[in-house]
Amino acid sequence: MTAYLLNLAQLAAIFGLLSVSLNILIGYGGIFSVAHAVFFGLGAYAGAHVALDLFPDLLLAALASALIAGLLSAALALPALRVRGEYFVIASLGLQMLATTVFTEAQAITGGLGGLVGIPPPTLFGFTLADPLVFLFCCLAFLALALALVRQLMRGSFGRALMALRDSEMAAEALGKNVALIKTLAVVLGTAFAGIAGALFAFQEEFVNVESFTLDQSVLILAMVIIGGAGTLSGPLIGTLLLLLLPAALTFIPFIPPTDIGAVQQLIYGFAMTLLMIFRPAGLAGRAMGRR
Amino acid sequence: MLILQLLVSGIEAGALYALTAAGFALIFGATRIFHFAHGATYALAGYAFVLATRLGWAWPAGVGLALVVAIAFGLLLEAAVYRPIQRHHGAFFTVFVAAFGVVIVVQSLIELSFGRAFIAISSPLTRAHEVLPGLYIARVFWLALATAGVVFAVLGAFLARTRAGIGLRALAENPDLLRAFGLSSRRLSALAFALGSALAVPGAVLGAMTTGLSPGVGAHVMLISLAASVMGGIGSLRGAALAGLLLGIVENLVVAGLDTQWSEAAGFVALFAFILFRPRGIFGAALVR
């Protein structure tokens, strides 16, 4: 039972980091990406390779993951951010589908459907983090770092400029803000943290394969941010806890057969997304009025 | 002969994509609502047909049921989801997330009631005959072509000649002027949703016979419709239809050189190219904002 709870807590910290990172794009930048699982996946593969081929140092893996996810996203975002909101959503949907195929097919790097197995437990400054409680604290430390950074950035000039162009791109541009640069920086920052979450995930599961980086996963992360409240500090965390505890809670309801739990969970969060958008589009933690 | 064979199946898939994408484009053109749940309409219509077949109904009754389900679902979404959101704020992303929620709900309901496995209806229509040495064509190919041809001819005549059709085109061009003329934009947008949703039915029914259905089919159809609409020029019926046909052909021809897993990806590479280099689409109707 303790092991189960620790496992759940680790996942909550990792997905919390993931939704906080997506919130930088969606909540503060108004950049609606449905491809966040791609960068989560890139980070996971990068972290897994560092651990398998070099040595399983947690910081090194996190750094490599953040670099790879961030740099690739910059390369993709520069052309894609030129187009308007609708097109960007569609382009990111397309990227997600394309990446799923690439992850499945590039077997030399990703191991295909079989994935990469036997990822060793992480080390930190030479010490092996075999104790799940210690690893949990590491995950929480990364989450706290991300939260602190987001909080600090959004109070400063970068965050204000980012939110200004979310609210009115034209006005921000007229005030001399470099829209393309600010947007690209937001994307790089968000996806770099998604990459770190991926590295942590690889260590946590000791195994990665493409199943964790599909459109369903992107939508789950999206739902966490939206249901919790995009553009707020606590919203993504609330959404993450709710959506992670949901399947756990459903297993305790006797009349749902275990094979249907996934579908019932999806049913509930699908309904939650639609109803929230109709009645409370700012999410649970958001202000009652719409963002715009 | 392989190329010819792939071309045939590409045209068959493309004709059905064209119809579905035209439905999406019709709805977007008239109402400016990005109907992301269009794929869910397709899935529901397909499974309605499967249900009718399992109950032993004749195929016209099955098609009828699929039509009723698709149209009812389209109208329900318009009245219960899109209109309340648009009345308050109507930010694009709010509509998108709400529709995505609907897609997830429909997918999980289908999973719960029909299971997760692929379902295909066997029909004598899909039995292939050798037309040329090495080239096999099933009757469903001609049926798909004929359906697409007839539906597009009727739809074209409807939009060009009838009062309601002209009203729909007017709604697309200038909703305020339309209201000034005393026409109801609410009734016309309901009509657009009914028509657009009905256009997903032929693809769903014939798709249930040829490629089969799975709960996730809606997501694939939604992506195809989106891709076709962007490539054709958003809101352009002709463009969406043509791009749908091309996407079907590309998806199938790719198999000649690469693994089948890449067929869907090829469509998206084409989509990216369009978004980056010609976001206005084939017919160049720019998105007015």
Side-chain angles (χ1 to χ4, degrees), chain A residues 4 19-20 45 84 105 119 132 139 160 177 188 193 209 218 236 261 268 279:
Chain A
Y4 170 75
S19 59
V20 166
Y45 287 125
R84 290 212 57 92
E105 294 300 304
I119 297 164
C139 295
R160 280 160 200 269
K177 302 291 176 203
V188 169
F193 273 116
N209 88 340
S218 278
I261 283 178
I268 294 174
F279 297 109

Side-chain angles (χ1 to χ4, degrees), chain A residues 6 16 61 73 98 105 122 126 149 171 183 197 218 226 228 237 248 250 264 280 288:
Chain A
L6 272 175
S73 77
L98 206 58
E105 294 300 304
L149 191 70
K183 273 189 168 180
S218 278
I226 300 286
L237 297 179
L250 287 177
V264 173
R280 200 181 161 87

Side-chain angles (χ1 to χ4, degrees), chain B residues 172-199:
Chain B
E173 278 186 15
N174 193 336
D176 295 330
L177 191 62
L178 181 95
R179 266 176 237 120
F181 270 97
L183 288 165
S184 160
S185 64
R186 270 181 67 163
R187 266 162 71 194
L188 280 172
S189 59
L191 175 67
F193 267 89
L195 265 181
S197 303
L199 281 175

Side-chain angles (χ1 to χ4, degrees), chain A residues 26 32 34 79-80 82-87 89-91 93-95 97-98 101-102 105 215 219 222 226 259-260 263-264 266-267 269-271 273-274 277-278 281 292, chain B residues 34 36 80-81 84-85 89 92-94 96-98 100-102 104-105 108-109 111-112 116 223 226 230 234 259 261-262 264-265 268-269 271-272 275-276 279 287 289:
Chain A
I26 287 185
F32 300 122
V34 214
R82 291 186 320 167
V83 296
R84 290 212 57 92
E86 283 92 334
Y87 289 104
V89 173
I90 299 168
L93 262 176
L95 173 69
M97 304 307 286
L98 206 58
T101 313
V102 172
E105 294 300 304
L215 178 63
V219 173
L222 186 74
I226 300 286
T259 46
D260 285 345
V264 173
Q266 292 217 326
L267 186 69
Y269 85 73
F271 259 117
M273 276 163 80
T274 306
M277 284 306 107
I278 297 175
R292 291 179 202 204
Chain B
F34 236 75
F36 274 97
V81 178
I85 291 177
H89 21 80
F92 161 73
F93 197 63
T94 317
F96 170 73
V97 175
F100 223 114
V102 172
I104 295 170
V105 168
S108 46
L109 282 179
E111 250 175 58
L112 288 174
R116 222 171 290 172
L223 288 164
L226 283 174
V230 169
I234 285 191
D259 263 355
Q261 287 91 328
W262 291 99
E264 197 182 32
F268 292 112
V269 173
L271 170 68
F272 283 132
I275 286 184
L276 291 182
L287 183 60
R289 304 207 28 149

